[in-house]
Amino acid sequence: MNKTDQLIEELSRLPAAVNRVDYRQRGYHLEVRLQAGQVPAFAGLLRQREFYLVFVSAVHVSPAIEIIYQFACFAQPCRILARSTVAADGTLPSIANIFHGANWHERETRDMFGVVFTGHPGLEPLLLPEEEADLKPLLKEEGALKPADQIRRAPDEEVQDTKPSTTAEPGAKKPNVEHRQ
Amino acid sequence: MGTTILLPPELLRMVFTAVVVIALVFLNSLILGYVERKLAGRFQLRPGPMEVGPHGILQLMADAVKLLGKQFIIPQAANSPLFRLAPLLAFVPVGASFIVVPLSQKLQVRDLDVGLVFIVAVMALNMVATLIAGWASNNKYSLFGAMRSVAQSVAYEIPLLLSLVAVVLMTHTFNMQEIVLSQDNIWHVVQQPVAFLIYFIAGMAETHRAPFDLPEAESELTAGFHTEFSGIRFSFFFLAEYTNMFFVGSIAVVLFLGGWHGPQLPFMDYSAAVWFLLKVYSLLLVMIWVRWTFPRVRFDQLLNFCWKYLTPIALVNLLVTAVVVKL
Amino acid sequence: MTTNPDNQQQSFFLNMGPQHPSTHGVLRVLLEMDGEYVRDAEPVIGYGHRMQEKLGESRTWKGFMPYSARLDYVGALPCSHGFIGLIERMTGIEAPPRAEYIRVITSELNRIASHLLWLGAFLLDLGAFTPIMYTFDDREQVLDILEDVTGSRLTYCYFRVGGVSRDIDEPFVEKTRAFIQRLRSRFKLYDDLVTGNIIFIKRVQDIVQFTPDMAMRYGVTGPILRSTGIRYDIRKNEPYSVYPEFDFEIPVGETGDCLEVYRVRLREMEQSLRIIEQALDRLPQGPVLAKTPRQLKLPQGDASFAVETARGELSYYLISDGGETPYRLKIRTPSFSNLSPLSELCRNVLLSDLVMVLGTLDLVIPEIDR
Amino acid sequence: MKQYFSLLFIGTKSLLVGLGVTFRALLSPAVTVHYPRQKIAITPNFRGHTLLVKDRSTGRHRCIACMMCERNCPSNCITVVGEKPEGATKKALTAYSLDFTRCSLCGICVECCPTQALDFSDEYELAAFSREAYHYNLLEQVEKTA
């Protein structure tokens, strides 16, 4: 039993849904689905297994914002992508006291999405100015928001055929006329 | 002086020398500023100033005109009188100390018997100017610069004095003329190489030249004690730095490199100043060379180097000198 | 002078930046000082924030291509490499072997250029004015070579999905070989001028300690991580492009102090030269741009792509809903994570040491802020 | 004590070696070019702002006003206006403006052009007092060139 298998077993005991994925297509090895409450336990486990934090970020989908964690390991090629949906009140436990680097990543995520990480040592704005704390620029607008299943790749789906598409260019790319004479 | 009445020829000589010295001080800054920039360029594989005048020799003039034309800004929170005073205080004492420097046998404004003591006393004033400049700016970086300057000057004055005393022990005089004359046969640098080296290093530290330019340290303190100065008052610091360098070089030449001694020239009493200046500038070139080669030392290392290396070695050197002189 | 009344010790705050000569851009570090000793150093970032991730969502992947080079403008090609690699991974397009070789050659040249700039700027932080001119002399050679093939000197837009925009020719190969020769002979000069210099050694040795544990907690990557003795390089651990075909080493240090970081970076340049040399020797013939459809939609789903830039791991994570523009594009930049342990690193060091540590981190501020 | 003197010795030696390096530099020629009196040859592959190319055979530009460049431009800095003259079957270009202040010189417009009507200029000495100076009218430029 190699290290990755051990890890999968330990993760499933959390319990978390673990998927092995094709690295060549996805760029990571394991896909993990977490409940909000399991996040600290999951991070603690990876900390013990000597993983490092690549990033914490989020994506705005309906019904709720998903937080994305990526971890990788110095010792073996194993990149883990974990997802968790924020709770109904828009909060999620912080992992900043387990992986100290998450401190900034979580602050950035709060800037961009307004997700509140509970237990974070100081959730102040990081990139955006303090006076614009309510900006949340990466939240999708009404029309652009997609349900979560529309951004998932179907399991075992082959890479799409790369035939020339016949669809027209999007109208959104029309230049803004009043700026240019 | 009291009741002594100066004879007209002597008075004439003094006035003439004073004019020469003042001209030299200002001219020196222009020359040295240009030479430094040109050499810095050459050390860095580039030509240096090239635009103003042939090979850029008028560059410093252009800079001076620019600085004269600039507004002098006094920060609101600065201590205005001190802030105005500091640049003058930085420049005037060093200028004044040239009174006792013998450029040649006759080109010396006033030959004091305690010439060396006078010089050392004036040198210490430089530190006060830096302190006032840093303090009056009311800028934290400037204050850092000022504090560093004080600590550095206090520390490095000790090995500097010890190395000078070694020469005094040999010549039994503080009189600059007599020190030079005592080197008629052999320069003190041959008898006192260690003292010369220590003097040179400590002198670089006294003048805040890299790698000891901690009070300015632009990568740490932006520009240290003169961060807030602009226009003509900034140029006074600039002037003071180059005058200081020239001054340190002059003392080294007087004490160690045989002063004006050199091959015979017509009007030797006056023209020997050529040899003097030649020696001074070759020392200054080495200072420039060092500046454009090394990284800056850290503050604690600077003091460690002084207390752990320079001071003990200078003390041992002084002891050995004393024993040898006594025998 | 403001003092902090809550603190028993008389400490005060010092604003270093956003305009300061050694923060290398608009970084501000809020320092709590006790005399010249730094009690706490908190980086304040975001002054160069351009919302690159939102730009990624509002433009097609093709439109984002030039932006990818503007993340880390000092080593732009590896950044582009990551983005192009990601699109190729998602769409399944493969670049011809010659294009992959060219990508590796230009990326490595760019890495050398970046390290040379760092070397000069780092020494400038330490107060040595001359080395930066020597490193720029070398770096200009790289930029000339790259300009010849990419058309620009800094923010290249050279890689294309399915290849590169322009083939390299014989003069390029010759110039690159000449540059390899030249740089190899220049290392001696850097050793004489810098590496052996007692002032330099005393300034950087044993001041702060990077540890593997700290690297894991903060996600520190790149030469700083390797200086602690961990042999981790995306080019070896999760190889991309044609890197597995080359024989090169990952230089590692032992103690993890700033001198080790310096040594690792210098040795990395030598390894990059080795890679370039091998790539030039084995450069395959053929096209440099695969036929790609004019309109190319990204399939629904997500993918990640990590590359080793001069500063560490840069990774893109793209989520597509199958539309014209990415649904979400996350950019993970190395300096962001490398800067975050600053407050832990710089406790009770002198102000000069803090400047030295900032120099060691090799920060590119727009890359942190994105 | 031994360490004390060995450090002193090694340190002094390293400093002298360093001085040697800069001294050699002092004696070697400058590597910089005295711009603007001297200029180095610019690579033919240099990417300046884009130009409409003059077709040698027809003496006119090749633009067919298909708007590909305008649509593909990541920075939205190209505006192409084409009109169909009466009786003609094809659109003719009436205005091509490039807002160079926003251009990122990525070269996508040059690559996607179906008629190779665009190319890079080798203009690199750019300075002006207003933004508007960089709003180039490429159609006018190509018609002016002989």
Side-chain angles (χ1 to χ4, degrees):
Chain A
M1 196 191 233
N2 69 21
K3 279 188 171 172
T4 316
D5 291 326
Q6 270 180 25
L7 182 71
I8 293 175
E9 200 185 293
E10 280 181 51
L11 285 175
S12 347
R13 248 184 276 140
L14 267 178
V18 190
N19 246 5
R20 251 175 206 276
V21 298
D22 182 5
Y23 178 80
R24 277 174 307 143
Q25 278 189 22
R26 309 280 281 269
Y28 53 90
H29 300 88
L30 298 178
E31 188 181 22
V32 181
R33 178 97 222 139
L34 295 165
Q35 298 298 315
Q38 295 162 350
V39 171
F42 166 72
L45 182 74
L46 291 185
R47 175 89 183 88
Q48 275 172 20
R49 310 281 307 216
E50 308 207 316
F51 274 74
Y52 75 94
L53 178 75
V54 179
F55 65 77
V56 177
S57 192
V59 54
H60 190 200
V61 286
S62 68
I65 295 170
E66 261 182 12
I67 304 294
I68 305 158
Y69 298 88
Q70 202 178 93
F71 293 92
C73 186
F74 293 142
Q76 87 242 40
C78 182
R79 199 167 276 266
I80 298 177
L81 190 102
R83 282 204 193 86
S84 178
T85 308
V86 295
D89 57 350
T91 62
L92 199 80
S94 164
I95 60 165
N97 50 358
I98 305 167
F99 284 98
H100 294 165
N103 187 327
W104 281 18
H105 287 287
E106 286 177 357
R107 278 169 69 186
E108 187 191 335
T109 311
R110 199 218 67 100
D111 275 5
M112 302 297 170
F113 295 91
V115 178
V116 176
F117 292 89
T118 49
H120 189 285
L123 208 58
E124 296 127 25
L126 181 73
L127 292 174
L128 299 183
E130 273 164 44
E131 53 269 29
E132 289 184 58
D134 301 323
L135 203 60
K136 290 159 199 153
L138 282 180
L139 287 184
K140 293 277 177 190
E141 299 199 347
E142 202 50 42
L145 188 63
K146 296 271 167 78
D149 58 332
Q150 274 193 27
I151 58 163
R152 296 269 190 278
R153 191 187 290 239
D156 304 324
E157 188 197 359
E158 290 301 306
V159 172
Q160 271 184 2
D161 222 354
T162 50
K163 264 182 262 151
S165 126
T166 47
T167 46
E169 290 279 328
K173 284 222 61 190
K174 269 264 157 68
N176 198 347
V177 181
E178 62 243 313
H179 283 293
R180 31 239 243 65
Q181 269 113 81
Chain B
M1 276 161 239
T3 53
T4 321
I5 298 161
L6 291 162
L7 294 169
E10 175 62 7
L11 185 68
L12 208 64
R13 190 198 59 80
M14 270 178 68
V15 170
F16 172 70
T17 313
V19 170
V20 167
V21 165
I22 291 169
L24 190 69
V25 163
F26 282 93
L27 211 60
N28 163 65
S29 299
L30 291 182
I31 296 169
L32 210 51
Y34 173 72
V35 167
E36 166 136 48
R37 289 177 61 177
K38 201 75 188 169
L39 273 183
R42 297 298 305 118
F43 282 128
Q44 298 175 348
L45 300 170
R46 56 191 177 86
M50 278 302 251
E51 288 300 315
V52 193
H55 284 265
I57 52 170
L58 299 177
Q59 181 65 51
L60 265 285
M61 296 281 194
D63 284 355
V65 170
K66 181 198 79 177
L67 283 172
L68 276 170
K70 281 207 163 183
Q71 189 190 0
F72 179 60
I73 300 159
I74 301 178
Q76 210 164 28
N79 186 331
S80 179
L82 286 182
F83 193 74
R84 288 160 190 275
L85 176 69
L88 287 176
L89 206 57
F91 172 67
V92 174
V94 252
S97 57
F98 274 98
I99 288 171
V100 292
V101 174
L103 299 179
S104 71
Q105 194 143 19
K106 289 283 172 65
L107 276 177
Q108 184 186 24
V109 181
R110 196 82 177 95
D111 187 20
L112 296 183
D113 277 344
V114 287
L116 200 59
V117 178
F118 175 74
I119 278 169
V120 169
V122 167
M123 224 182 221
L125 266 181
N126 183 29
M127 166 187 96
V128 178
T130 324
L131 177 62
I132 288 179
W135 176 261
S137 299
N138 200 5
N139 173 329
K140 290 174 196 172
Y141 287 114
S142 300
L143 190 67
F144 273 138
M147 291 307 171
R148 283 179 174 193
S149 160
V150 172
Q152 184 175 338
S153 298
V154 167
Y156 273 82
E157 238 151 53
I158 291 163
L160 188 113
L161 288 181
L162 289 175
S163 62
L164 294 184
V165 168
V167 174
V168 173
L169 275 185
M170 287 171 63
T171 56
H172 306 286
T173 178
F174 284 119
N175 186 306
M176 303 290 269
Q177 286 275 352
E178 284 171 29
I179 292 174
V180 175
L181 289 172
S182 72
Q183 300 178 70
D184 213 2
N185 298 318
I186 185 162
W187 293 356
H188 288 323
V189 70
V190 183
Q191 296 150 317
Q192 290 283 2
V194 179
F196 173 68
L197 263 178
I198 289 171
Y199 172 79
F200 193 63
I201 293 169
M204 275 204 286
E206 274 296 296
T207 49
H208 313 318
R209 291 289 295 176
F212 307 117
D213 59 341
L214 289 155
E216 297 159 36
E218 76 284 340
S219 63
E220 295 152 24
L221 304 183
T222 58
F225 66 91
H226 57 59
T227 307
E228 299 287 359
F229 287 85
S230 58
I232 193 67
R233 280 183 172 80
F234 165 74
S235 70
F236 267 101
F237 284 112
F238 184 76
L239 211 62
E241 181 181 333
Y242 284 125
T243 313
N244 243 323
M245 267 173 83
F246 185 68
F247 183 57
V248 165
S250 304
I251 306 303
V253 170
V254 170
L255 265 78
F256 295 100
L257 297 178
W260 65 80
H261 285 304
Q264 199 67 35
L265 288 172
F267 305 109
M268 193 62 183
D269 281 354
Y270 291 95
S271 63
V274 173
W275 300 124
F276 182 87
L277 291 179
L278 215 61
K279 288 174 192 171
V280 172
Y281 276 103
S282 35
L283 276 184
L284 297 188
L285 291 191
V286 175
M287 277 166 99
I288 292 172
W289 183 15
V290 167
R291 172 174 182 188
W292 294 100
T293 306
F294 298 135
R296 185 181 306 117
V297 298
R298 210 175 55 212
F299 189 59
D300 56 332
Q301 291 167 346
L302 176 94
L303 296 183
N304 272 342
F305 180 64
C306 176
W307 296 120
K308 284 192 187 159
Y309 288 91
L310 287 186
T311 311
I313 294 174
L315 271 173
V316 170
N317 182 56
L318 186 65
L319 208 67
V320 172
T321 312
V323 170
V324 171
V325 167
K326 198 73 201 163
L327 287 176
Chain C
M1 214 113 291
T2 46
T3 50
N4 183 1
D6 305 334
N7 206 327
Q8 287 294 312
Q9 281 174 319
Q10 282 263 305
S11 66
F12 61 92
F13 289 105
L14 181 68
N15 244 327
M16 191 168 151
Q19 272 83 30
H20 188 281
S22 40
T23 52
H24 300 276
V26 278
L27 166 71
R28 175 175 154 218
V29 188
L30 189 59
L31 301 173
E32 197 188 331
M33 305 285 290
D34 180 15
E36 280 226 24
Y37 281 91
V38 176
R39 291 277 170 253
D40 195 15
E42 199 205 337
V44 181
I45 60 174
Y47 291 92
H49 181 56
R50 288 159 297 162
M51 204 67 248
Q52 289 253 11
E53 293 178 11
K54 187 81 182 172
L55 274 175
E57 286 176 19
S58 60
R59 270 154 180 70
T60 59
W61 58 264
K62 204 176 195 177
F64 190 73
M65 246 162 31
Y67 291 97
S68 65
R70 279 153 179 84
L71 283 170
D72 174 359
Y73 50 76
V74 181
L77 281 170
C79 295
S80 298
H81 202 159
F83 186 69
I84 296 299
L86 176 70
I87 303 298
E88 287 179 354
R89 180 170 277 168
M90 284 196 94
T91 54
I93 292 173
E94 273 189 21
R98 186 175 170 87
E100 290 285 11
Y101 270 72
I102 295 173
R103 282 180 187 176
V104 168
I105 294 169
T106 47
S107 287
E108 292 304 313
L109 279 173
N110 209 192
R111 186 187 314 274
I112 291 171
S114 169
H115 279 352
L116 283 171
L117 177 70
W118 162 81
L119 178 61
F122 179 48
L123 287 156
L124 204 58
D125 287 347
L126 295 177
F129 305 98
T130 302
I132 193 170
M133 295 294 167
Y134 298 167
T135 61
F136 261 63
D137 187 12
D138 289 334
R139 183 169 174 264
E140 284 298 302
Q141 315 280 329
V142 186
L143 295 191
D144 282 348
I145 292 170
L146 287 177
E147 184 186 15
D148 216 9
V149 60
T150 64
S152 26
R153 290 181 80 82
L154 201 67
T155 44
Y156 315 100
C157 184
Y158 178 53
F159 298 161
R160 297 282 184 268
V161 169
V164 293
S165 72
R166 196 196 302 265
D167 197 2
I168 59 175
D169 47 11
E170 206 42 50
F172 172 88
V173 176
E174 274 163 30
K175 269 197 253 171
T176 313
R177 283 192 196 282
F179 171 72
I180 293 171
Q181 288 297 321
R182 176 199 159 98
L183 192 61
R184 286 211 169 119
S185 66
R186 294 276 283 193
F187 286 131
K188 171 84 171 66
L189 182 146
Y190 294 133
D191 280 350
D192 283 351
L193 187 60
V194 183
T195 319
N197 189 302
I198 185 87
I199 301 177
F200 171 76
I201 293 172
K202 290 280 169 194
R203 277 298 303 273
V204 296
Q205 201 172 29
D206 295 332
I207 304 294
V208 296
Q209 210 80 29
F210 298 98
T211 60
D213 181 62
M214 178 189 281
M216 267 176 246
R217 278 185 287 123
Y218 285 96
V220 174
T221 49
I224 299 172
L225 167 70
R226 292 192 279 276
S227 76
T228 66
I230 293 183
R231 206 173 289 274
Y232 181 75
D233 188 312
I234 309 280
R235 289 176 294 171
K236 281 272 191 206
N237 287 52
E238 290 178 39
Y240 56 97
S241 194
V242 284
Y243 278 110
E245 293 178 24
F246 302 116
D247 172 34
F248 65 102
E249 280 160 28
I250 302 300
V252 290
E254 281 163 19
T255 54
D257 66 354
C258 293
L259 188 61
E260 288 289 303
V261 181
Y262 168 87
R263 289 207 182 109
V264 165
R265 284 214 174 95
L266 276 198
R267 280 156 63 202
E268 265 184 35
M269 282 198 259
E270 288 168 35
Q271 295 302 322
S272 290
L273 289 180
R274 263 179 81 186
I275 297 174
I276 297 168
E277 209 165 37
Q278 292 172 46
L280 288 175
D281 286 340
R282 295 190 227 146
L283 192 64
Q285 294 300 315
V288 293
L289 195 57
K291 275 248 175 289
T292 47
R294 198 157 258 183
Q295 302 295 310
L296 188 59
K297 277 194 179 179
L298 297 178
Q300 194 175 318
D302 64 341
S304 172
F305 198 96
V307 287
E308 185 75 24
T309 70
R311 269 149 272 276
E313 177 192 338
L314 181 112
S315 65
Y316 293 91
Y317 178 67
L318 193 150
I319 301 175
S320 169
D321 57 356
E324 286 284 339
T325 58
Y327 189 74
R328 171 92 176 91
L329 178 68
K330 167 71 190 169
I331 307 162
R332 188 265 189 202
T333 50
S335 294
F336 184 87
S337 295
N338 290 358
L339 178 64
S340 56
L342 186 76
S343 152
E344 191 181 313
L345 272 172
C346 291
R347 293 255 160 85
N348 300 324
V349 297
L350 283 163
L351 183 63
S352 327
D353 294 331
L354 181 94
V355 167
M356 189 271 296
V357 172
L358 282 177
T360 308
L361 293 175
D362 191 12
L363 303 172
V364 171
I365 308 302
E367 185 220 53
I368 298 175
D369 295 343
R370 282 156 290 141
Chain D
M1 203 62 187
K2 200 179 155 202
Q3 203 195 347
Y4 177 91
F5 284 106
S6 73
L7 193 66
L8 194 65
F9 178 72
I10 295 168
T12 314
K13 197 180 148 211
S14 76
L15 296 183
L16 292 178
V17 168
L19 284 173
V21 171
T22 40
F23 189 70
R24 274 196 300 277
L26 181 70
L27 300 179
S28 43
V31 294
T32 49
V33 171
H34 197 184
Y35 182 86
R37 315 215 187 320
Q38 263 175 302
K39 285 179 188 177
I40 44 172
I42 186 166
T43 164
N45 299 339
F46 178 75
R47 286 182 185 169
H49 66 80
T50 50
L51 286 177
L52 283 173
V53 181
K54 199 159 216 170
D55 196 318
R56 294 226 176 276
S57 52
T58 61
R60 293 215 61 218
H61 63 81
R62 301 194 198 115
C63 181
I64 52 168
C66 69
M67 324 290 266
M68 278 299 280
C69 49
E70 180 177 323
R71 265 185 257 134
N72 274 301
C73 179
S75 322
N76 290 340
C77 59
I78 302 172
T79 321
V80 181
V81 184
E83 272 170 18
K84 227 179 241 181
E86 283 197 28
T89 49
K90 281 184 192 161
K91 263 205 285 187
L93 183 69
T94 54
Y96 192 113
S97 66
L98 168 72
D99 181 357
F100 191 54
T101 55
R102 293 158 70 178
C103 176
S104 60
L105 294 166
C106 60
I108 290 174
C109 51
V110 176
E111 276 161 39
C112 72
C113 183
T115 58
Q116 279 89 46
L118 288 169
D119 198 5
F120 299 108
S121 68
D122 54 5
E123 190 58 56
Y124 66 96
E125 292 167 305
L126 297 164
F129 288 103
S130 70
R131 262 158 214 272
E132 285 67 35
Y134 296 113
H135 294 194
Y136 296 128
N137 188 339
L138 297 189
L139 184 61
E140 222 168 69
Q141 272 184 16
V142 72
E143 279 167 359
K144 257 191 238 161
T145 52

